[in-house]
Amino acid sequence: MLDNAFLIPFYPLLAFVVIIFFTRWNEKLSSYISIGMILTGFVHSLFVLMQMLARGGEPLEKMVTFISHPAFHLELGMYIDPLTSVMLMVVTIVSSCVQIYSLGYMHGDPRFSRYFSYLSLFTFSMLGLVIANNFFMIFIFWELVGLTSYLLIGFWFEKKSASDAGKKAFITTRIGDLGFIIGILILAFYAGTLNYQQVFEKVATGALSPAVLTAAGIFIFCGAVGKSAQFPLHVWLPDAMEGPTPVSALIHAATMVAAGVYLVARAMSLFVGSAEASMVVAVIGLITSLMAASIALTQNDIKRVLAYSTVSQLGYMIMALGLYGVDSAHGHHSPGFVAGTFHLMTHAFFKALLFLGAGSVIHAVHTNDIQEMGGLSKKMKRTSITFFIACLSIAGIFPLSGFWSKDEIIATTQGHPVFMFFALLIAFMTAFYMFRLSFLTFTGKPRNEEKYHHAHESPDSMTWPLMILAFLTVVSGWVGLPWLSHGFSSFVYHEAAHHAEPSYVLMIVSTIVALSGIGVAYLFYYKKRFSADAIAERFKPLYTLLYHKYYFDEIYDAIIIRPLLKLTDALWWFDANVVDGLVNFSGWLTVKWSDLKQWFDEHIVDGAVNGAGYVCMAGSWLFKYIQSGSVQFYTLTVIAAAIGIVIYRVTPEGFYYYLAGLIVMLVSRILARIVKTGRVKAEANIEG
Amino acid sequence: METSVSQLIFYLLSFIIIISAIYVVTLRNIFHSALFLILTLFSVAGIYILLNAEFLAAVQVLIYVGAISVLIIFAIMLTSQLASKKINQSNEQVMIGVFVCAGFLLASLGSLANTVWRIVDKPMPENNTMTLGKLLMNDYVLPFEVVSLVLLAALIGAVVLARKESA
Amino acid sequence: MLQYLALAAILFAIGVFGVLTRRNAVGILMSLELMFNAANINLVTFNRYIGPENLTGQIFATFVIVIAAAEAVVGLAIVLLLYRNWRGIDVDNINLMKW
């Protein structure tokens, strides 16, 4: 099973092809094929994981080489190591849950089959990305993921905001991809190969200079910035909520945005070689996390809150990985790698759960605005319970999974006081806004009676995935318990297995922070002891700034979009007037040229032809008089010529005199005739 | 070699020939031309006698003078416009004709003078007529017969051409 | 010998001149007769001075005379026809083949 792990991406690809070409018209069949294929992928991934565990984490690499030149090496292949197998599990589980959930959520949509085909295509891209063994291949799948996310975000493209969001997502990630490809090119140029293992070997042997490593690292990180919605390319993620909620769950909670984190984890050897690049990574992660968490405090759209929460959590992971790189570069031991990847796994589960739960709520009340919700826990038991479990997890409450992974991350920030302070602050904010969200949505009095009246629990196809994910949220953290000697940290690691000492101090501190966050939210929104609106009024400028997402979109619009559009206008003007003017001018020129040629043809060519005719006629008019009809004249001609020949043979000199004499006679006769008759006409005397 | 008498007769005869010939081609009155033609032909017969061709001289007189010239005079009489004596009998090609003929003369006389003739000074056969007769009947009998056919053809042709239209 | 040949040449030239110049058809025929006679003189001269043993030249001259006679007959017949059709024998008028 492990040997043909490369088949895993092909299951959903097969589903995509079959749905697109054959079963598009049969909605039920399409969805079953899609779900069937992804479940097959899940089973295969499970086997892969088990075999990988049996091998003790020994990586397997298989490849097909395309170009093998000393200066350049290109191949397609798979590289399965513990990180890969974990990612395979995460992707297939979340994808299966989302697809089952979509059966209920997308019921009745006119493009049902196409939706499932896109989901399959996306899953194929993500799985391919995860098992790639070289930067070139990962880039191919990177782009594919971007494409499919565009297709899925803009799925309801009749709505302008949805199609705009799709475009925004694609373009913004593309900007990051530009940096990514520069990084790949730097690696290709300096290392001569793009294969992970070969590049890392070169890094280990010091064949690449630190400057190259830093540059490559930063540029490759650009790709992660784009895909994982880090500052400053985070602007697409909130808008991407225009897509269907299962899409948001799959792409923007669990998988696609995790691709950036996965890339940084994969390329960690590069970052380990360059402390500067790693610091850049960590700082960007921190800024992103802080910024997103602060924005999430004020948002009223349920999906927006979750979106910013995702951005913030991703920043958390990136920060952990960056700090690992910094510490390793200086030779210290750091739990960052384990923390980042562990949190990636747990976050995938509880964020997906949060999104699907939110989707369930939206499906029930047909609105995203939490100001219109309230008291839904009475009506939607399963949804509210699973949602609460997820909120507890993300806040980091013992013994749920989020607690363990968050603890690891906070443990990573030891030794970096600034980072630790902000990490704790972010944890506080996370707890606060998540519970704000859940209290406002599920508890209290319903703010919109109409909607509340129509609300009902979602069908089983939607609630079963919720329950599966809730179960995973609870148990998945237990593989990373610090007391385990063969846990997550012995399985997924970088260079050296990390055996963490459980730091009880840390656990208590983080629990206090989380509980205080929940408590504050409780006071504000459950007990209504304090009024959130009053606080908002007191800090009006800050509140406005946060509510408007730090005006990022407006800034980008003014600095980048508007000038580009102006440039577009200018270029359009150029094309319409100058280029088309040139084309029209050349057309006009051609017409004039053809006029000239027509004139030429008419007058000169035809003139020449007619002229030839005239010349013939003139010639005949000149020469016709030779045929005078008079036999004596003919006889004269013959005899004169014969005598001329004879004279020539006798005396060549005399011949010329003879000839001269003949010509003189002829001319004088013609002249005499002219004088006689006044016209040049050799007419015999007809009247005679 | 000729004696001076033969020379004298030759010059006299040639003088007559040339003058008569010139008159033949230039006179306006066609009848006078014909008469001068007769004179010319007679003189040519004399030249033949000088050249020891007596039979030929006789034939010349008989046929040319006796038959052909008479025929020509007949034709003139039948087709004459004697009233129009003043019409110029020479057309407009005169000058060129003179020039060309002069050229011809110069060419031929020049070539005559420059040629090396192989003159054989043997006597001619005595009986001119008998020899001619023998030759005609032995060596040249075919042309003899053919020429009689030619005469026949000419005779018939002339009759056919000149008869009146049977209207 | 040369004088005979010269005489013949002159006679011939005069005959050519007559053929080219005479307007009357019969006149042309008469000039033609002059040319025949010039040729005859030449033949007889050659016979007398260059090949006297056989009389080839005289035979030739005889035949020339006979042929000349035949030709004169036919020619004059044609002239008569001309006279009948054109009311005159001015050869300048016989130019139907003119351009």
Side-chain angles (χ1 to χ4, degrees), chain A residues 564-634:
Chain A
L564 265 179
L565 286 176
K566 285 272 178 334
L567 183 66
T568 314
D569 280 341
L571 286 175
W572 174 85
W573 177 89
F574 182 77
D575 180 54
N577 294 324
V578 176
V579 175
D580 285 357
L582 276 174
V583 172
N584 292 345
F585 173 69
S586 76
W588 175 86
L589 205 63
T590 310
V591 169
K592 285 282 164 268
W593 177 247
S594 67
D595 280 345
L596 177 71
K597 288 212 272 200
Q598 190 230 356
W599 176 89
F600 184 81
D601 184 51
E602 215 176 276
H603 291 102
I604 297 179
V605 175
D606 285 358
V609 171
N610 291 346
Y614 286 138
V615 164
C616 280
M617 283 172 62
S620 77
W621 170 84
L622 263 180
F623 288 115
K624 68 185 172 188
Y625 299 117
I626 292 181
Q627 192 130 26
S628 61
S630 155
V631 180
Q632 285 178 309
F633 179 69
Y634 299 158

Side-chain angles (χ1 to χ4, degrees), chain A residues 624-625 627-630 632 634-636 639 682-686 688, chain C residues 16 18-23 28 91-99:
Chain A
K624 68 185 172 188
Y625 299 117
Q627 192 130 26
S628 61
S630 155
Q632 285 178 309
Y634 299 158
T635 317
L636 173 66
I639 292 177
E683 270 172 315
N685 198 347
I686 302 182
Chain C
V16 167
V19 165
L20 292 177
T21 315
R22 292 300 255 167
R23 198 177 269 176
I28 296 175
V91 295
D92 282 345
N93 298 341
I94 307 169
N95 54 4
L96 280 181
M97 296 287 277
K98 198 171 148 162
W99 58 270

Side-chain angles (χ1 to χ4, degrees), chain A residues 72 178-192 194 220:
Chain A
F72 188 65
L178 176 66
F180 189 15
I181 206 169
I182 292 176
I184 292 181
L185 288 174
I186 292 175
L187 275 181
F189 185 69
Y190 282 101
L194 288 173
I220 288 179

Side-chain angles (χ1 to χ4, degrees), chain A residues 348-662:
Chain A
F349 294 134
F350 58 67
K351 200 37 88 48
L353 173 57
L354 281 171
F355 267 106
L356 292 182
S360 179
V361 167
I362 294 167
H363 185 77
V365 299
H366 297 293
T367 179
N368 288 13
D369 192 351
I370 57 177
Q371 301 291 5
E372 306 227 339
M373 303 179 197
L376 286 171
S377 61
K378 297 189 196 59
K379 284 249 177 157
M380 306 173 69
K381 277 267 179 293
R382 286 186 191 167
T383 309
S384 55
I385 291 175
T386 51
F387 199 86
F388 265 108
I389 292 175
C391 283
L392 286 171
S393 185
I394 197 174
I397 302 295
F398 179 91
L400 299 172
S401 57
F403 170 72
W404 305 108
S405 53
K406 238 195 185 138
D407 248 23
E408 288 284 334
I409 292 183
I410 296 178
T412 315
T413 59
Q414 283 174 332
H416 303 274
V418 177
F419 280 95
M420 179 174 270
F421 169 72
F422 279 116
L424 288 172
L425 179 63
I426 290 167
F428 172 79
M429 290 204 284
T430 308
F432 175 75
Y433 66 67
M434 283 313 301
F435 274 89
R436 166 179 177 263
L437 181 67
S438 49
F439 285 143
L440 279 178
T441 308
F442 291 105
T443 64
K445 286 205 187 40
R447 278 170 282 266
N448 188 325
E449 283 294 338
E450 178 85 27
K451 289 197 158 49
Y452 179 74
H453 189 66
H454 284 116
H456 58 88
E457 182 60 272
S458 305
D460 277 346
S461 61
M462 286 168 69
T463 51
W464 270 101
L466 293 177
M467 295 196 287
I468 294 171
L469 285 171
F471 170 72
L472 282 169
T473 308
V474 172
V475 306
S476 63
W478 295 345
V479 303
L481 291 177
W483 301 283
L484 280 182
S485 55
H486 291 289
F488 192 85
S489 52
S490 332
F491 188 56
V492 178
Y493 56 85
H494 184 258
E495 300 210 358
H498 173 76
H499 295 282
E501 295 298 318
S503 167
Y504 294 103
V505 174
L506 209 56
M507 283 199 228
I508 291 171
V509 168
S510 65
T511 311
I512 292 174
V513 167
L515 283 174
S516 49
I518 297 174
V520 174
Y522 180 80
L523 286 174
F524 268 92
Y525 296 104
Y526 193 77
K527 282 287 197 216
K528 301 265 188 342
R529 197 62 104 66
F530 306 108
S531 165
D533 296 328
I535 302 276
E537 281 301 315
R538 280 267 309 271
F539 296 98
K540 193 72 185 284
L542 183 63
Y543 179 78
T544 319
L545 185 67
L546 292 178
Y547 187 72
H548 287 284
K549 309 162 278 177
Y550 291 96
Y551 292 107
F552 258 106
D553 284 323
E554 288 76 6
I555 293 172
Y556 282 159
D557 185 52
I559 294 180
I560 296 172
I561 309 286
R562 291 267 169 77
L564 265 179
L565 286 176
K566 285 272 178 334
L567 183 66
T568 314
D569 280 341
L571 286 175
W572 174 85
W573 177 89
F574 182 77
D575 180 54
N577 294 324
V578 176
V579 175
D580 285 357
L582 276 174
V583 172
N584 292 345
F585 173 69
S586 76
W588 175 86
L589 205 63
T590 310
V591 169
K592 285 282 164 268
W593 177 247
S594 67
D595 280 345
L596 177 71
K597 288 212 272 200
Q598 190 230 356
W599 176 89
F600 184 81
D601 184 51
E602 215 176 276
H603 291 102
I604 297 179
V605 175
D606 285 358
V609 171
N610 291 346
Y614 286 138
V615 164
C616 280
M617 283 172 62
S620 77
W621 170 84
L622 263 180
F623 288 115
K624 68 185 172 188
Y625 299 117
I626 292 181
Q627 192 130 26
S628 61
S630 155
V631 180
Q632 285 178 309
F633 179 69
Y634 299 158
T635 317
L636 173 66
T637 315
V638 170
I639 292 177
I643 290 177
I645 292 173
V646 169
I647 292 181
Y648 181 76
R649 295 313 265 157
V650 171
T651 47
E653 194 186 291
F655 170 72
Y656 294 117
Y657 285 122
Y658 174 72
L659 200 59
L662 274 181

Side-chain angles (χ1 to χ4, degrees), chain A residues 146-162:
Chain A
L147 168 72
T148 44
S149 75
Y150 163 77
L151 289 172
L152 283 166
I153 293 171
F155 188 70
W156 289 319
F157 54 76
E158 294 90 359
K159 225 167 116 192
K160 183 160 198 305
S161 55

